Coordinates of all heavy atoms in Angstrom, one line a residue:
M5 N -2.0 -16.9 -31.7 CA -0.8 -16.1 -31.6 C -0.2 -16.4 -30.2 O -0.9 -16.4 -29.2 CB -1.1 -14.6 -31.7 CG 0.2 -13.7 -31.7 SD -0.2 -12.0 -31.7 CE -0.5 -11.6 -30.0
P6 N 1.2 -16.7 -30.2 CA 1.7 -17.1 -28.9 C 1.7 -15.9 -27.9 O 1.8 -14.8 -28.4 CB 3.2 -17.5 -29.2 CG 3.4 -16.8 -30.5 CD 2.1 -16.8 -31.3
T7 N 1.6 -16.2 -26.7 CA 1.6 -15.1 -25.7 C 3.0 -14.8 -25.3 O 3.8 -15.7 -24.9 CB 0.8 -15.5 -24.5 OG1 -0.5 -16.0 -24.9 CG2 0.5 -14.4 -23.5
E8 N 3.4 -13.6 -25.3 CA 4.8 -13.2 -25.1 C 5.1 -13.0 -23.6 O 4.2 -12.5 -22.9 CB 5.1 -11.9 -25.8 CG 5.1 -12.0 -27.3 CD 6.1 -13.1 -27.8 OE1 7.2 -13.1 -27.3 OE2 5.6 -13.9 -28.6
P9 N 6.2 -13.4 -23.1 CA 6.6 -13.1 -21.7 C 6.6 -11.6 -21.4 O 7.0 -10.9 -22.3 CB 8.0 -13.7 -21.6 CG 8.0 -14.7 -22.7 CD 7.2 -14.2 -23.8
L10 N 6.2 -11.2 -20.3 CA 6.2 -9.8 -19.9 C 7.6 -9.5 -19.3 O 8.2 -10.4 -18.7 CB 5.2 -9.5 -18.8 CG 3.7 -9.6 -19.3 CD1 2.8 -9.4 -18.0 CD2 3.4 -8.6 -20.3
S11 N 8.1 -8.3 -19.4 CA 9.3 -7.9 -18.9 C 9.2 -7.7 -17.3 O 8.0 -7.6 -16.8 CB 9.8 -6.6 -19.5 OG 8.9 -5.5 -19.0
Q12 N 10.3 -7.6 -16.7 CA 10.2 -7.5 -15.2 C 9.5 -6.2 -14.9 O 8.7 -6.1 -13.9 CB 11.7 -7.4 -14.6 CG 11.8 -7.4 -13.1 CD 11.4 -8.7 -12.5 OE1 11.4 -9.8 -13.2 NE2 10.9 -8.7 -11.3
K13 N 9.8 -5.1 -15.7 CA 9.1 -3.8 -15.3 C 7.6 -4.0 -15.6 O 6.8 -3.4 -14.9 CB 9.7 -2.7 -16.2 CG 9.0 -1.4 -15.9 CD 9.7 -0.2 -16.4 CE 9.1 1.1 -15.9 NZ 7.7 1.1 -15.7
E14 N 7.3 -4.6 -16.7 CA 5.8 -4.8 -17.0 C 5.1 -5.5 -15.9 O 4.0 -5.2 -15.5 CB 5.6 -5.5 -18.3 CG 6.0 -4.7 -19.5 CD 6.0 -5.4 -20.8 OE1 6.4 -6.7 -20.7 OE2 5.7 -4.9 -21.9
I15 N 5.8 -6.6 -15.4 CA 5.3 -7.3 -14.3 C 5.1 -6.5 -13.0 O 4.0 -6.4 -12.4 CB 6.2 -8.6 -13.9 CG1 6.1 -9.6 -15.1 CG2 5.7 -9.2 -12.6 CD1 7.1 -10.7 -15.0
E16 N 6.1 -5.7 -12.7 CA 6.0 -4.8 -11.5 C 5.0 -3.8 -11.7 O 4.3 -3.5 -10.7 CB 7.4 -4.2 -11.3 CG 8.5 -5.1 -10.8 CD 9.9 -4.6 -10.9 OE1 10.1 -3.4 -11.2 OE2 10.9 -5.4 -10.6
D17 N 4.8 -3.2 -12.8 CA 3.8 -2.2 -13.0 C 2.4 -2.8 -12.9 O 1.5 -2.2 -12.3 CB 4.0 -1.6 -14.4 CG 5.2 -0.7 -14.5 OD1 5.8 -0.4 -13.5 OD2 5.5 -0.4 -15.7
R18 N 2.2 -4.0 -13.4 CA 0.8 -4.6 -13.3 C 0.6 -5.0 -11.8 O -0.5 -4.9 -11.3 CB 0.8 -5.8 -14.2 CG 0.7 -5.4 -15.7 CD 0.8 -6.5 -16.7 NE 0.7 -6.1 -18.0 CZ -0.4 -6.2 -18.7 NH1 -1.6 -6.6 -18.2 NH2 -0.4 -5.8 -20.0
L19 N 1.6 -5.5 -11.1 CA 1.4 -5.9 -9.7 C 1.1 -4.7 -8.9 O 0.3 -4.9 -7.9 CB 2.7 -6.6 -9.2 CG 3.0 -8.0 -9.7 CD1 4.4 -8.5 -9.2 CD2 1.9 -9.0 -9.2
A20 N 1.6 -3.5 -9.2 CA 1.3 -2.4 -8.4 C -0.2 -2.0 -8.5 O -0.8 -1.4 -7.6 CB 2.1 -1.2 -9.0
E21 N -0.9 -2.6 -9.5 CA -2.4 -2.4 -9.6 C -3.1 -3.5 -9.0 O -4.4 -3.5 -9.0 CB -2.7 -2.3 -11.1 CG -1.9 -1.2 -11.9 CD -2.3 0.1 -11.4 OE1 -3.5 0.4 -11.1 OE2 -1.4 0.9 -11.3
L22 N -2.4 -4.4 -8.4 CA -3.1 -5.6 -7.8 C -2.7 -5.9 -6.4 O -1.8 -6.8 -6.1 CB -2.8 -6.9 -8.7 CG -3.5 -7.0 -10.0 CD1 -3.0 -8.2 -10.8 CD2 -5.0 -7.3 -9.8
P23 N -3.1 -5.1 -5.4 CA -2.7 -5.2 -4.1 C -2.9 -6.7 -3.6 O -3.9 -7.3 -3.8 CB -3.6 -4.2 -3.3 CG -4.1 -3.3 -4.3 CD -4.1 -4.0 -5.6
G24 N -1.9 -7.2 -2.9 CA -2.0 -8.6 -2.4 C -1.3 -9.6 -3.3 O -0.9 -10.6 -2.8
W25 N -1.1 -9.2 -4.6 CA -0.4 -10.1 -5.5 C 1.1 -9.8 -5.5 O 1.5 -8.6 -5.3 CB -1.0 -10.0 -6.9 CG -2.4 -10.6 -7.1 CD1 -3.6 -10.0 -6.7 CD2 -2.7 -11.9 -7.6 NE1 -4.6 -10.9 -7.0 CE2 -4.0 -12.0 -7.5 CE3 -1.9 -12.9 -8.1 CZ2 -4.7 -13.2 -7.9 CZ3 -2.5 -14.1 -8.6 CH2 -3.9 -14.2 -8.4
S26 N 1.9 -10.8 -5.7 CA 3.3 -10.6 -5.7 C 4.0 -11.6 -6.7 O 3.3 -12.5 -7.1 CB 3.9 -10.7 -4.3 OG 3.6 -12.0 -3.7
L27 N 5.2 -11.4 -7.0 CA 6.0 -12.3 -7.8 C 6.8 -13.2 -7.0 O 7.5 -12.7 -6.1 CB 6.9 -11.5 -8.8 CG 7.7 -12.3 -9.8 CD1 6.8 -13.0 -10.8 CD2 8.7 -11.3 -10.5
D28 N 6.6 -14.5 -7.1 CA 7.3 -15.5 -6.3 C 8.0 -16.4 -7.3 O 7.3 -17.3 -7.9 CB 6.3 -16.3 -5.4 CG 7.0 -17.2 -4.5 OD1 8.3 -17.3 -4.6 OD2 6.3 -17.9 -3.7
G29 N 9.3 -16.2 -7.5 CA 10.0 -17.0 -8.5 C 9.5 -16.6 -9.9 O 9.5 -15.4 -10.2
D30 N 8.9 -17.6 -10.6 CA 8.5 -17.3 -12.0 C 6.9 -17.3 -12.0 O 6.3 -17.4 -13.1 CB 9.0 -18.3 -12.9 CG 8.6 -19.7 -12.6 OD1 7.9 -19.9 -11.6 OD2 8.8 -20.6 -13.5
R31 N 6.3 -17.1 -10.9 CA 4.8 -17.1 -10.8 C 4.3 -15.8 -10.1 O 5.0 -15.3 -9.2 CB 4.3 -18.3 -10.1 CG 4.5 -19.6 -10.8 CD 4.2 -20.8 -9.9 NE 4.1 -22.1 -10.6 CZ 5.2 -22.8 -10.9 NH1 6.4 -22.4 -10.6 NH2 5.0 -24.0 -11.5
I32 N 3.1 -15.4 -10.4 CA 2.5 -14.4 -9.6 C 1.6 -15.1 -8.6 O 1.0 -16.1 -9.0 CB 1.7 -13.3 -10.4 CG1 0.6 -13.9 -11.3 CG2 2.7 -12.5 -11.2 CD1 -0.3 -12.9 -11.9
T33 N 1.5 -14.6 -7.4 CA 0.8 -15.4 -6.3 C 0.0 -14.4 -5.5 O 0.2 -13.2 -5.4 CB 1.9 -16.0 -5.4 OG1 2.6 -15.0 -4.7 CG2 2.8 -16.9 -6.1
R34 N -1.0 -15.1 -4.8 CA -1.9 -14.4 -3.9 C -2.5 -15.4 -2.9 O -2.8 -16.5 -3.4 CB -3.1 -13.7 -4.7 CG -4.2 -13.0 -3.9 CD -3.8 -11.7 -3.3 NE -4.9 -10.8 -3.1 CZ -5.6 -10.6 -1.9 NH1 -5.3 -11.4 -0.9 NH2 -6.6 -9.7 -1.8
T35 N -2.6 -15.0 -1.7 CA -3.3 -15.8 -0.7 C -4.5 -15.1 -0.2 O -4.3 -13.9 0.3 CB -2.4 -16.3 0.4 OG1 -1.4 -17.1 -0.1 CG2 -3.2 -17.0 1.5
Y36 N -5.7 -15.7 -0.2 CA -6.9 -15.1 0.3 C -7.2 -15.7 1.6 O -7.1 -17.0 1.8 CB -8.1 -15.3 -0.6 CG -7.9 -14.5 -2.0 CD1 -7.5 -15.1 -3.1 CD2 -8.3 -13.2 -2.0 CE1 -7.3 -14.5 -4.3 CE2 -8.2 -12.5 -3.2 CZ -7.7 -13.1 -4.3 OH -7.6 -12.4 -5.5
R37 N -7.8 -15.0 2.6 CA -8.2 -15.5 3.9 C -9.7 -15.4 3.9 O -10.3 -14.4 3.5 CB -7.6 -14.7 5.0 CG -7.8 -15.4 6.4 CD -6.8 -14.8 7.4 NE -5.5 -15.0 7.1 CZ -4.8 -16.2 7.3 NH1 -5.5 -17.2 7.9 NH2 -3.6 -16.3 7.0
L38 N -10.4 -16.5 4.3 CA -11.8 -16.6 4.4 C -12.3 -16.8 5.8 O -11.5 -17.1 6.7 CB -12.3 -17.7 3.5 CG -12.2 -17.6 2.0 CD1 -13.1 -16.5 1.5 CD2 -10.8 -17.5 1.5
S39 N -13.6 -16.7 6.1 CA -14.1 -16.8 7.4 C -14.2 -18.3 7.8 O -14.1 -18.6 9.1 CB -15.5 -16.2 7.5 OG -16.3 -16.8 6.6
T40 N -14.4 -19.2 7.0 CA -14.5 -20.6 7.3 C -13.9 -21.5 6.2 O -13.6 -21.0 5.1 CB -16.0 -21.0 7.4 OG1 -16.6 -20.9 6.1 CG2 -16.8 -20.1 8.4
H41 N -13.7 -22.7 6.6 CA -13.2 -23.7 5.6 C -14.2 -23.9 4.5 O -13.7 -23.9 3.2 CB -12.9 -25.0 6.3 CG -12.3 -26.0 5.4 ND1 -11.1 -25.9 4.8 CD2 -12.8 -27.2 4.9 CE1 -10.8 -26.9 4.0 NE2 -11.8 -27.7 4.1
F42 N -15.5 -23.8 4.8 CA -16.4 -24.0 3.7 C -16.4 -22.9 2.7 O -16.5 -23.0 1.6 CB -17.8 -24.2 4.3 CG -18.9 -24.6 3.3 CD1 -18.9 -26.0 2.9 CD2 -19.8 -23.7 2.8 CE1 -19.9 -26.3 1.9 CE2 -20.7 -24.1 1.8 CZ -20.8 -25.4 1.4
A43 N -16.3 -21.6 3.3 CA -16.2 -20.4 2.4 C -15.0 -20.5 1.5 O -15.1 -20.2 0.3 CB -16.2 -19.2 3.3
A44 N -13.8 -21.0 2.1 CA -12.6 -21.1 1.3 C -12.8 -22.1 0.2 O -12.5 -22.0 -1.0 CB -11.5 -21.5 2.2
T45 N -13.6 -23.2 0.5 CA -13.9 -24.3 -0.5 C -14.7 -23.7 -1.6 O -14.5 -24.0 -2.8 CB -14.5 -25.5 0.1 OG1 -13.7 -25.9 1.2 CG2 -14.7 -26.6 -0.8
A46 N -15.7 -22.9 -1.3 CA -16.6 -22.3 -2.2 C -15.9 -21.4 -3.2 O -16.1 -21.3 -4.4 CB -17.8 -21.5 -1.5
L47 N -14.9 -20.6 -2.6 CA -14.1 -19.8 -3.5 C -13.2 -20.6 -4.5 O -13.1 -20.2 -5.6 CB -13.2 -18.9 -2.6 CG -12.2 -17.9 -3.3 CD1 -13.0 -17.0 -4.3 CD2 -11.4 -17.2 -2.3
V48 N -12.7 -21.7 -4.0 CA -11.9 -22.6 -4.9 C -12.8 -23.0 -6.1 O -12.4 -22.9 -7.2 CB -11.4 -23.8 -4.1 CG1 -10.9 -24.9 -5.1 CG2 -10.3 -23.4 -3.2
V49 N -14.0 -23.4 -5.8 CA -14.9 -23.8 -6.9 C -15.2 -22.7 -7.9 O -15.1 -22.9 -9.1 CB -16.3 -24.4 -6.3 CG1 -17.3 -24.6 -7.4 CG2 -16.1 -25.6 -5.5
H50 N -15.4 -21.5 -7.3 CA -15.6 -20.4 -8.2 C -14.5 -20.0 -9.1 O -14.6 -19.7 -10.3 CB -16.1 -19.1 -7.3 CG -16.8 -18.1 -8.1 ND1 -17.4 -17.0 -7.4 CD2 -16.9 -17.9 -9.4 CE1 -17.9 -16.2 -8.4 NE2 -17.6 -16.7 -9.6
I51 N -13.3 -20.0 -8.5 CA -12.0 -19.8 -9.2 C -11.9 -20.8 -10.3 O -11.5 -20.6 -11.4 CB -10.8 -19.8 -8.2 CG1 -10.9 -18.5 -7.4 CG2 -9.5 -19.7 -9.1 CD1 -9.9 -18.5 -6.3
A52 N -12.1 -22.1 -9.9 CA -12.0 -23.2 -10.9 C -12.8 -23.0 -12.1 O -12.5 -23.2 -13.2 CB -12.2 -24.6 -10.3
Q53 N -14.1 -22.6 -11.9 CA -15.0 -22.3 -13.0 C -14.5 -21.1 -13.8 O -14.5 -21.3 -15.1 CB -16.4 -21.8 -12.4 CG -17.5 -21.4 -13.4 CD -18.7 -20.9 -12.7 OE1 -18.6 -20.5 -11.5 NE2 -19.8 -21.0 -13.4
T54 N -13.9 -20.1 -13.2 CA -13.4 -19.0 -14.0 C -12.2 -19.5 -14.8 O -12.0 -19.1 -15.9 CB -13.0 -17.9 -13.0 OG1 -14.2 -17.5 -12.2 CG2 -12.4 -16.7 -13.7
Q55 N -11.3 -20.2 -14.2 CA -10.1 -20.8 -14.9 C -10.5 -21.6 -16.1 O -9.9 -21.5 -17.2 CB -9.3 -21.6 -13.9 CG -8.6 -20.7 -12.9 CD -7.7 -21.4 -12.0 OE1 -6.8 -20.8 -11.4 NE2 -7.8 -22.7 -11.8
E56 N -11.6 -22.4 -16.0 CA -12.1 -23.1 -17.1 C -12.6 -22.2 -18.2 O -12.3 -22.4 -19.4 CB -13.2 -24.1 -16.7 CG -12.7 -25.3 -16.0 CD -11.8 -26.2 -17.0 OE1 -12.3 -26.8 -17.9 OE2 -10.5 -26.2 -16.7
E57 N -13.3 -21.2 -17.8 CA -13.8 -20.2 -18.9 C -12.7 -19.5 -19.6 O -12.8 -19.3 -20.8 CB -14.8 -19.2 -18.1 CG -16.1 -19.8 -17.6 CD -16.8 -18.9 -16.6 OE1 -16.3 -17.8 -16.3 OE2 -17.9 -19.3 -16.1
L58 N -11.6 -19.2 -18.8 CA -10.5 -18.5 -19.4 C -9.5 -19.5 -20.2 O -8.7 -19.1 -20.9 CB -9.7 -17.8 -18.3 CG -10.3 -16.5 -17.8 CD1 -9.4 -16.0 -16.7 CD2 -10.4 -15.4 -18.8
N59 N -9.7 -20.8 -19.8 CA -8.7 -21.8 -20.2 C -7.3 -21.4 -19.8 O -6.3 -21.4 -20.5 CB -8.7 -22.0 -21.7 CG -7.9 -23.2 -22.1 OD1 -7.9 -24.2 -21.4 ND2 -7.3 -23.2 -23.3
H60 N -7.3 -21.0 -18.5 CA -6.0 -20.6 -17.9 C -6.0 -21.0 -16.5 O -7.0 -20.5 -15.8 CB -5.7 -19.1 -18.1 CG -4.3 -18.7 -18.0 ND1 -3.3 -19.0 -19.0 CD2 -3.6 -18.1 -17.0 CE1 -2.2 -18.6 -18.6 NE2 -2.3 -18.0 -17.4
H61 N -5.1 -21.7 -16.0 CA -5.2 -22.4 -14.7 C -4.0 -22.1 -13.8 O -2.9 -22.3 -14.2 CB -5.3 -23.9 -14.9 CG -6.5 -24.3 -15.8 ND1 -6.4 -24.2 -17.2 CD2 -7.7 -24.6 -15.6 CE1 -7.5 -24.6 -17.8 NE2 -8.4 -24.8 -16.8
S62 N -4.3 -21.8 -12.6 CA -3.3 -21.6 -11.6 C -3.0 -22.9 -10.8 O -3.9 -23.8 -10.9 CB -3.7 -20.5 -10.6 OG -4.9 -21.0 -9.9
D63 N -2.0 -22.9 -10.0 CA -1.8 -23.9 -9.0 C -2.7 -23.4 -7.8 O -2.4 -22.3 -7.2 CB -0.4 -24.1 -8.6 CG 0.5 -24.6 -9.7 OD1 -0.1 -25.3 -10.6 OD2 1.7 -24.4 -9.7
L64 N -3.7 -24.1 -7.5 CA -4.7 -23.6 -6.5 C -4.6 -24.4 -5.3 O -4.7 -25.7 -5.3 CB -6.1 -23.8 -7.2 CG -7.3 -23.0 -6.7 CD1 -7.0 -21.5 -6.6 CD2 -8.4 -23.2 -7.8
T65 N -4.4 -23.8 -4.1 CA -4.2 -24.5 -2.8 C -5.2 -24.1 -1.8 O -5.3 -22.9 -1.5 CB -2.8 -24.2 -2.3 OG1 -1.8 -24.5 -3.3 CG2 -2.5 -25.1 -1.1
L66 N -5.9 -25.1 -1.3 CA -6.9 -24.9 -0.3 C -6.3 -25.2 1.1 O -5.9 -26.3 1.3 CB -8.2 -25.8 -0.5 CG -9.3 -25.8 0.5 CD1 -9.9 -24.4 0.7 CD2 -10.3 -26.9 0.2
G67 N -6.4 -24.2 2.0 CA -6.0 -24.5 3.4 C -7.2 -24.6 4.3 O -8.3 -24.6 3.8
Y68 N -7.0 -24.4 5.6 CA -8.1 -24.5 6.6 C -9.1 -23.3 6.2 O -10.3 -23.6 6.0 CB -7.6 -24.3 8.0 CG -8.7 -24.0 8.9 CD1 -9.9 -24.8 9.1 CD2 -8.7 -22.7 9.6 CE1 -10.9 -24.4 9.9 CE2 -9.7 -22.3 10.4 CZ -10.8 -23.2 10.6 OH -11.9 -22.8 11.4
N69 N -8.6 -22.1 6.1 CA -9.4 -21.0 5.8 C -8.7 -20.0 4.8 O -8.9 -18.8 4.8 CB -9.9 -20.2 7.0 CG -8.8 -19.6 7.8 OD1 -7.6 -20.0 7.6 ND2 -9.1 -18.6 8.6
T70 N -7.9 -20.6 4.0 CA -7.1 -19.8 3.0 C -7.3 -20.5 1.6 O -7.4 -21.7 1.5 CB -5.6 -19.7 3.4 OG1 -5.1 -21.0 3.4 CG2 -5.5 -18.9 4.7
V71 N -7.1 -19.6 0.6 CA -7.0 -20.1 -0.8 C -5.8 -19.4 -1.4 O -5.7 -18.1 -1.4 CB -8.3 -19.7 -1.6 CG1 -8.1 -20.2 -3.0 CG2 -9.5 -20.5 -1.0
S72 N -4.8 -20.1 -1.9 CA -3.7 -19.6 -2.6 C -3.6 -19.9 -4.0 O -4.0 -21.1 -4.4 CB -2.4 -20.1 -1.8 OG -2.4 -19.7 -0.5
L73 N -3.2 -18.9 -4.8 CA -3.0 -19.1 -6.2 C -1.6 -18.8 -6.6 O -1.0 -17.9 -6.1 CB -3.9 -18.2 -7.1 CG -5.4 -18.3 -7.0 CD1 -5.9 -17.4 -5.8 CD2 -6.1 -17.9 -8.3
A74 N -1.0 -19.6 -7.5 CA 0.3 -19.3 -8.0 C 0.1 -19.7 -9.5 O -0.3 -20.8 -9.9 CB 1.4 -20.2 -7.4
V75 N 0.5 -18.7 -10.4 CA 0.3 -18.9 -11.9 C 1.3 -18.3 -12.7 O 1.8 -17.2 -12.4 CB -1.2 -18.3 -12.2 CG1 -1.3 -16.9 -12.0 CG2 -1.6 -18.7 -13.6
H76 N 1.7 -19.0 -13.8 CA 2.4 -18.5 -14.9 C 1.9 -19.2 -16.2 O 0.9 -20.0 -16.1 CB 3.9 -18.7 -14.7 CG 4.3 -20.2 -14.6 ND1 5.5 -20.5 -14.1 CD2 3.7 -21.3 -14.8 CE1 5.6 -21.9 -14.1 NE2 4.5 -22.4 -14.5
T77 N 2.4 -18.9 -17.3 CA 1.9 -19.4 -18.5 C 2.7 -20.5 -19.1 O 3.8 -20.3 -19.5 CB 1.7 -18.3 -19.5 OG1 0.9 -17.2 -19.0 CG2 1.1 -18.7 -20.8
H78 N 2.1 -21.7 -19.1 CA 2.9 -22.9 -19.6 C 3.3 -22.8 -21.0 O 4.4 -23.0 -21.4 CB 2.0 -24.2 -19.4 CG 1.4 -24.3 -18.1 ND1 0.1 -24.9 -17.9 CD2 1.8 -24.0 -16.8 CE1 -0.2 -24.9 -16.6 NE2 0.8 -24.4 -16.0
D79 N 2.3 -22.2 -21.8 CA 2.5 -22.1 -23.2 C 3.6 -21.0 -23.6 O 4.1 -21.0 -24.7 CB 1.2 -21.7 -24.0 CG 0.2 -22.7 -23.8 OD1 0.5 -23.9 -23.5 OD2 -1.0 -22.4 -24.1
A80 N 4.0 -20.3 -22.6 CA 5.1 -19.3 -22.8 C 6.4 -19.8 -22.0 O 7.2 -19.0 -21.6 CB 4.7 -18.0 -22.3
G81 N 6.5 -21.1 -21.9 CA 7.7 -21.7 -21.2 C 7.7 -21.4 -19.7 O 8.8 -21.4 -19.1
G82 N 6.6 -21.1 -19.1 CA 6.5 -20.9 -17.6 C 6.9 -19.4 -17.3 O 7.1 -19.1 -16.2
A83 N 6.7 -18.6 -18.3 CA 6.9 -17.1 -18.0 C 5.6 -16.5 -17.6 O 4.5 -17.1 -17.8 CB 7.5 -16.4 -19.3
V84 N 5.7 -15.3 -17.0 CA 4.5 -14.6 -16.7 C 4.0 -13.8 -17.9 O 4.8 -13.1 -18.5 CB 4.7 -13.6 -15.5 CG1 3.5 -12.7 -15.2 CG2 5.1 -14.4 -14.2
T85 N 2.8 -13.9 -18.3 CA 2.2 -13.2 -19.4 C 1.0 -12.4 -19.0 O 0.5 -12.6 -17.9 CB 1.8 -14.2 -20.5 OG1 0.7 -14.9 -20.1 CG2 3.0 -15.1 -20.8
V86 N 0.4 -11.7 -20.0 CA -0.9 -11.0 -19.8 C -2.0 -12.0 -19.3 O -2.9 -11.6 -18.6 CB -1.3 -10.2 -21.0 CG1 -0.4 -9.0 -21.2 CG2 -1.5 -11.1 -22.2
K87 N -1.9 -13.2 -19.8 CA -3.0 -14.2 -19.4 C -3.1 -14.4 -17.9 O -4.1 -14.6 -17.3 CB -2.8 -15.5 -20.1 CG -3.0 -15.4 -21.6 CD -2.9 -16.8 -22.2 CE -3.3 -16.8 -23.7 NZ -3.1 -18.1 -24.3
D88 N -1.9 -14.4 -17.3 CA -1.8 -14.6 -15.8 C -2.5 -13.4 -15.1 O -3.2 -13.6 -14.1 CB -0.4 -14.7 -15.4 CG 0.3 -15.9 -16.1 OD1 -0.3 -17.0 -16.1 OD2 1.3 -15.7 -16.7
F89 N -2.2 -12.2 -15.6 CA -2.8 -11.0 -15.0 C -4.3 -10.9 -15.3 O -5.2 -10.4 -14.6 CB -2.1 -9.7 -15.5 CG -0.8 -9.5 -14.8 CD1 0.4 -9.9 -15.3 CD2 -0.8 -9.0 -13.5 CE1 1.6 -9.8 -14.6 CE2 0.4 -8.9 -12.8 CZ 1.6 -9.3 -13.4
E90 N -4.7 -11.4 -16.5 CA -6.2 -11.5 -16.8 C -6.9 -12.4 -15.7 O -7.9 -12.0 -15.2 CB -6.4 -12.1 -18.2 CG -7.9 -12.1 -18.6 CD -8.1 -12.7 -20.0 OE1 -7.2 -13.3 -20.6 OE2 -9.3 -12.6 -20.4
L91 N -6.3 -13.6 -15.5 CA -6.9 -14.4 -14.4 C -6.9 -13.7 -13.0 O -7.9 -13.7 -12.3 CB -6.1 -15.7 -14.4 CG -6.5 -16.7 -13.2 CD1 -8.0 -17.1 -13.4 CD2 -5.6 -17.9 -13.2
A92 N -5.7 -13.1 -12.7 CA -5.6 -12.4 -11.4 C -6.7 -11.4 -11.3 O -7.4 -11.2 -10.2 CB -4.3 -11.8 -11.3
G93 N -6.9 -10.6 -12.3 CA -8.0 -9.6 -12.3 C -9.4 -10.1 -12.1 O -10.2 -9.5 -11.4
K94 N -9.7 -11.2 -12.7 CA -11.0 -11.8 -12.6 C -11.2 -12.4 -11.2 O -12.3 -12.3 -10.6 CB -11.2 -12.9 -13.7 CG -11.4 -12.3 -15.1 CD -12.0 -13.3 -16.0 CE -12.1 -12.7 -17.4 NZ -13.2 -11.6 -17.5
V95 N -10.1 -13.0 -10.6 CA -10.2 -13.5 -9.3 C -10.4 -12.3 -8.3 O -11.2 -12.4 -7.4 CB -9.0 -14.4 -8.9 CG1 -9.1 -14.8 -7.5 CG2 -9.0 -15.6 -9.9
E96 N -9.6 -11.3 -8.5 CA -9.8 -10.1 -7.6 C -11.2 -9.6 -7.6 O -11.7 -9.0 -6.6 CB -8.8 -9.0 -8.0 CG -7.4 -9.2 -7.5 CD -7.3 -9.1 -6.0 OE1 -7.6 -8.0 -5.4 OE2 -7.0 -10.2 -5.4
A97 N -11.8 -9.7 -8.8 CA -13.2 -9.2 -8.9 C -14.2 -10.0 -8.2 O -15.2 -9.6 -7.7 CB -13.6 -9.0 -10.4
L98 N -14.0 -11.3 -8.2 CA -15.0 -12.2 -7.6 C -14.7 -12.6 -6.1 O -15.6 -12.9 -5.4 CB -15.1 -13.5 -8.4 CG -13.9 -14.5 -8.5 CD1 -13.9 -15.4 -7.3 CD2 -13.9 -15.3 -9.7
A99 N -13.5 -12.4 -5.7 CA -13.1 -12.8 -4.3 C -13.9 -12.0 -3.2 O -14.4 -12.7 -2.2 CB -11.6 -12.7 -4.1
P100 N -14.1 -10.8 -3.3 CA -14.8 -10.0 -2.3 C -16.2 -10.5 -2.0 O -16.7 -10.5 -0.9 CB -14.8 -8.6 -2.8 CG -13.6 -8.5 -3.7 CD -13.6 -9.8 -4.3
G101 N -16.9 -11.0 -3.0 CA -18.2 -11.6 -2.9 C -18.2 -12.8 -2.0 O -19.3 -13.2 -1.5
H102 N -17.1 -13.4 -1.8 CA -17.0 -14.6 -0.9 C -16.5 -14.2 0.5 O -16.2 -15.0 1.4 CB -16.0 -15.6 -1.4 CG -16.5 -16.3 -2.7 ND1 -17.1 -17.5 -2.7 CD2 -16.4 -15.8 -4.0 CE1 -17.4 -17.8 -3.9 NE2 -17.0 -16.8 -4.7
G103 N -16.3 -12.8 0.7 CA -15.8 -12.3 1.9 C -14.4 -12.5 2.1 O -13.8 -12.5 3.2
A104 N -13.6 -12.7 1.0 CA -12.2 -13.0 1.0 C -11.4 -11.7 1.2 O -11.8 -10.6 0.7 CB -11.7 -13.6 -0.2
T105 N -10.4 -11.8 2.0 CA -9.5 -10.6 2.2 C -8.1 -10.9 1.9 O -7.7 -12.1 1.6 CB -9.5 -10.1 3.7 OG1 -9.1 -11.2 4.5 CG2 -10.9 -9.7 4.1
Ligands
H2B27 C1 -4.5 -27.0 -24.2 C2 -4.8 -25.9 -23.3 O1 -5.5 -24.9 -24.0 C3 -3.6 -25.3 -22.7 O2 -2.8 -26.2 -22.1 C4 -4.0 -24.2 -21.6 C5 -4.6 -24.8 -20.4 N1 -4.3 -23.9 -19.2 C6 -3.2 -23.2 -19.1 N2 -2.9 -22.6 -17.9 C7 -1.7 -21.9 -17.8 N3 -1.4 -21.4 -16.6 N4 -0.9 -21.8 -18.8 C8 -1.2 -22.2 -20.0 O3 -0.4 -22.0 -20.9 C9 -2.4 -23.0 -20.2 N5 -2.7 -23.5 -21.4

């Protein structure tokens, strides 16, 4: 079953439950800060594993000590869907274990 685009209000309501996440253009985004470059790299690997398990992938950017995600749903024509928020929720759950803020 195709995934339907969320309305602006649905997006805003869901973002209110995800501190640190925001809507940037047609993607939801978050930047995490880590203590070291190696910690940031380990978080990238963990997120990549989660994305493979979900079969849903963000644009993932590794900085010196930051990890940024930007995601929307290609199969919905680049709209934001529940799949994007499912990924965001799983990353929010695993990030603290890496010391991410
Ligand atoms: C064929 C494969 O299942 C699809 O291309 C998956 C892969 N990862 C994906 N990631 C994202 N962000 N959106 C998608 O629609 C999507 N679809």
Side-chain angles (χ1 to χ4, degrees):
M5 185 182 85
T7 309
E8 294 304 312
L10 294 174
S11 69
Q12 189 69 21
K13 179 163 187 335
E14 287 169 326
I15 293 169
E16 289 167 4
D17 290 348
R18 288 171 180 262
L19 286 174
E21 304 298 318
L22 286 170
W25 287 81
S26 54
L27 183 64
D28 183 1
D30 63 353
R31 289 168 170 84
I32 60 170
T33 66
R34 170 79 150 95
T35 295
Y36 294 97
R37 189 164 298 280
L38 287 299
S39 56
T40 66
H41 184 63
F42 190 77
T45 305
L47 178 58
V48 166
V49 172
H50 197 171
I51 292 171
Q53 178 185 22
T54 302
Q55 292 185 153
E56 281 298 291
E57 290 164 1
L58 284 177
N59 191 31
H60 201 73
H61 304 82
S62 67
D63 295 336
L64 202 46
T65 306
L66 173 63
Y68 162 61
N69 64 340
T70 59
V71 175
S72 295
L73 299 89
V75 62
H76 61 194
T77 301
H78 311 145
D79 295 344
V84 174
T85 73
V86 293
K87 290 184 176 180
D88 304 309
F89 283 98
E90 181 183 11
L91 175 60
K94 288 197 180 291
V95 175
E96 279 294 298
L98 67 84
H102 291 264
T105 57

